Amino acid sequence: MKAHATALVDPAATIADDVEIGPFCVVGPGATIGPRCRLGPRVSLRGPATLGRDNILHANVTLDGPVAIGDGNVLRESTHVGPNATIGSRCSFGAWVNIGDRATIGDDALLGAFAVVAEGCSLGSKVRVEGQTVLEPGMKIGTGARIRSQVPVTGDVDAAVLLDGNPAEAQAGGAP
Amino acid sequence: MPIHPSAVIEAGARIHASAEIGPFCVVGPKVSIGPGTKLVQAVTVVGRTTIGARNVVHPFCVIGGDPQDLKFKGEDSTTLIGDENVIREGVTINKGTLTGGGQTVIGNRNMLMALAHVAHDCLIEDNCILANACLLAGHVRVESFAILSGWVVVHHFVTVGQSAFIGGATRVNQDAPPYMTLQGMSGEVRGVNSIGLKRRGIKLEVVNCLKEAYRIIWRSQLPKPEALVEVEKIGGQHGEVRTLIEFLKASDLGHMGRRREHRRPAPAPTPPPPEPEENIE
């Protein structure tokens, strides 16, 4: 483990040898960080978060409590993940994304900046959610669905659907 | 050089003697910070980033981070910030990509309010305002004196014309004409930004001519080419009107209403399907 001198890493955390932890990070007890993960400045793992391998957490990211994250994900600046959320592998989140409590994100998901996934939402694999989109609590988004920017999602979305507008409407042709 | 003892300044960073670096800031090894610029607190500046003179960067900003672009493979691209900009809390500015020109540029005297996001290869000229949580996708150009209200989202490769005013929570999917106001999910042109033009000292005669141009182009039933001919007749003597006409022509020549869309790199060729295996039976 290569941790900056200003980082606070709890001795009870389990961290692979080749993990990089940046300045002013806080890694709490019970955290598990897999090989080749990189934590940028001021990243906070406040509870027993579990990270697989090759994850990149940029500056100011907060994992708030027990969170499970797979492999090869990129979480951009100031993203927040709530307690008991689960994130698959190879996902990419933009800056200021918010993942609510108990939300589940499948593999290969793309979430644009400021996307809000409220508590209890479930996103299938290869879902694309563009910037500034809000998913209300408990929504289920099917595999391969795409939701355009600023769309308020107030109902479940089927697989491979392209959702746009306010109020949201499924578009002809489905997700590109 | 007032640098707080808790700040982390990596070897190689060039910081002017009159710059101020506040507590818990992180400054990478390829960063240059000019005279009088102030990083207030907990600011992260990384990558090959140059910040000019007398800027103020507020807490939790991240400047020069990697682009959020799947084509990015770790190139040493740049972020350039001019002079006298105000960058408020939590703003994120990503560096450029080689396929997009290699640099993200912020000009002079701009204000980026809290949580604004500027993606890779964007160009913001001078005297612009991006209000709170404003989101620019990659390759966007914002011309001088444009104002983007809160929660505006701008599509890739869009050009926002000079002195345009974008209303709150507007989606800008096509080029935003100069001197106009836009509003709504489809970014409709709603009128002339007469207040912004007055602030710039544009003559009332010119503003009135732009209002007539707006009526002809967006409120009459004339086809666009004929409308532009009419506008040329009534206001072609004014530089602002000619700028509007040329802007609209360029956008129409582009793709999807975006003049810069041609800059989008061609998609990688699809590999040929594998040869069918011979039946050995």
Side-chain angles (χ1 to χ4, degrees):
Chain A
M1 176 182 64
K2 180 181 173 187
H4 194 273
T6 59
L8 301 177
V9 181
D10 194 285
T14 305
I15 300 173
D17 291 341
D18 46 5
V19 168
E20 294 181 27
I21 299 179
F24 311 118
C25 286
V26 177
V27 179
T32 302
I33 305 179
R36 295 184 299 279
C37 285
R38 284 192 285 137
L39 276 57
R42 289 181 294 281
V43 168
S44 173
L45 275 57
R46 287 194 278 185
T50 303
L51 278 70
R53 59 180 66 227
D54 298 304
N55 293 291
I56 302 174
L57 277 56
H58 285 257
N60 306 332
V61 165
T62 303
L63 306 184
D64 196 0
V67 170
I69 296 183
D71 304 328
N73 298 286
V74 178
L75 275 60
R76 296 304 303 235
E77 294 83 355
S78 302
T79 285
H80 170 260
V81 183
N84 299 303
T86 304
I87 297 171
S89 297
R90 301 174 302 282
C91 297
S92 179
F93 296 177
W96 293 100
V97 163
N98 185 70
I99 307 296
D101 309 357
R102 295 173 281 103
T104 304
I105 314 286
D107 297 336
D108 302 295
L110 296 176
L111 272 62
F114 301 109
V116 175
V117 178
E119 62 266 26
C121 283
S122 172
L123 278 63
S125 60
K126 297 183 179 177
V127 164
R128 289 184 66 182
V129 179
E130 297 185 1
Q132 298 180 348
T133 293
V134 178
L135 276 61
E136 292 201 347
M139 297 300 106
K140 293 180 173 55
I141 313 298
T143 298
R146 180 174 179 180
I147 303 169
R148 301 301 306 272
S149 60
Q150 290 189 341
V151 173
V153 180
T154 57
D156 293 348
V157 179
D158 291 335
V161 160
L162 172 63
L163 202 68
D164 197 3
N166 186 358
E169 292 179 358
Q171 305 295 302
Chain B
M1 181 165 56
I3 295 180
H4 194 275
S6 67
V8 175
I9 313 292
E10 296 195 36
R14 291 179 297 150
I15 300 175
H16 191 272
S18 61
E20 294 182 37
I21 311 295
F24 309 116
C25 288
V26 176
V27 179
K30 299 176 183 174
V31 172
S32 172
I33 297 179
T37 285
K38 182 177 183 181
L39 309 186
V40 175
Q41 172 199 331
V43 172
T44 303
V45 188
V46 292
R48 190 176 291 280
T49 299
T50 300
I51 302 180
R54 299 177 297 284
N55 298 281
V56 181
V57 186
H58 286 258
F60 306 112
C61 291
V62 182
I63 297 176
D66 287 350
Q68 297 170 78
D69 187 317
L70 296 175
K71 296 185 293 299
F72 178 72
K73 302 299 178 194
E75 305 92 84
D76 197 15
S77 50
T78 60
T79 307
L80 303 176
I81 296 180
D83 303 332
E84 298 176 0
N85 297 285
V86 176
I87 302 175
R88 296 303 303 251
E89 293 81 354
V91 167
T92 47
I93 301 172
N94 294 166
K95 65 180 183 179
T97 62
L98 286 187
T99 52
Q103 60 182 15
T104 300
V105 180
I106 312 280
N108 305 313
R109 298 177 299 283
N110 298 290
M111 173 178 257
L112 279 61
M113 296 190 191
L115 308 189
H117 173 68
V118 179
H120 58 90
D121 304 297
C122 283
L123 165 61
I124 299 176
E125 296 183 350
D126 302 331
N127 300 294
C128 297
I129 297 175
L130 272 62
N132 301 79
C134 195
L135 168 54
L136 302 188
H139 312 273
V140 166
R141 176 175 182 155
V142 181
E143 295 182 350
S144 296
F145 293 98
I147 298 177
L148 281 64
S149 306
W151 217 240
V152 163
V153 57
V154 184
H155 195 281
H156 296 83
F157 294 99
V158 157
T159 302
V160 177
Q162 59 174 293
S163 286
F165 181 93
I166 315 295
T170 291
R171 289 201 318 193
V172 185
N173 292 328
Q174 298 183 339
D175 290 351
Y179 316 118
M180 297 295 151
T181 60
L182 283 79
Q183 176 74 57
M185 286 286 275
S186 304
E188 293 135 12
V189 179
R190 297 289 177 86
V192 174
N193 179 19
S194 50
I195 294 175
L197 295 174
K198 184 179 175 183
R199 286 176 182 165
R200 280 186 69 180
I202 304 293
K203 291 178 182 174
L204 183 61
E205 176 192 358
V206 177
V207 175
N208 287 336
C209 207
L210 287 167
K211 286 182 178 177
E212 183 62 12
Y214 162 75
R215 189 191 65 76
I216 293 170
I217 297 169
W218 285 285
R219 287 294 174 263
S220 77
Q221 302 300 317
L222 281 177
K224 177 75 76 65
E226 295 173 27
L228 294 183
V229 170
E230 284 297 309
V231 170
E232 175 77 35
K233 285 180 189 169
I234 64 153
Q237 70 273 26
H238 300 303
E240 289 81 359
V241 175
R242 288 199 301 277
T243 299
L244 174 64
I245 293 171
E246 294 306 317
F247 186 98
L248 293 173
K249 286 180 177 176
S251 296
D252 285 347
L253 287 175
H255 182 57
M256 308 283 283
R258 300 187 284 267
R259 60 163 71 178
R260 290 161 58 84
E261 184 68 30
H262 68 278
R263 292 168 175 254
R264 186 187 292 273
T270 307
E275 294 289 330
E277 294 182 7
E278 292 182 9
N279 190 344
I280 59 175
E281 291 182 349

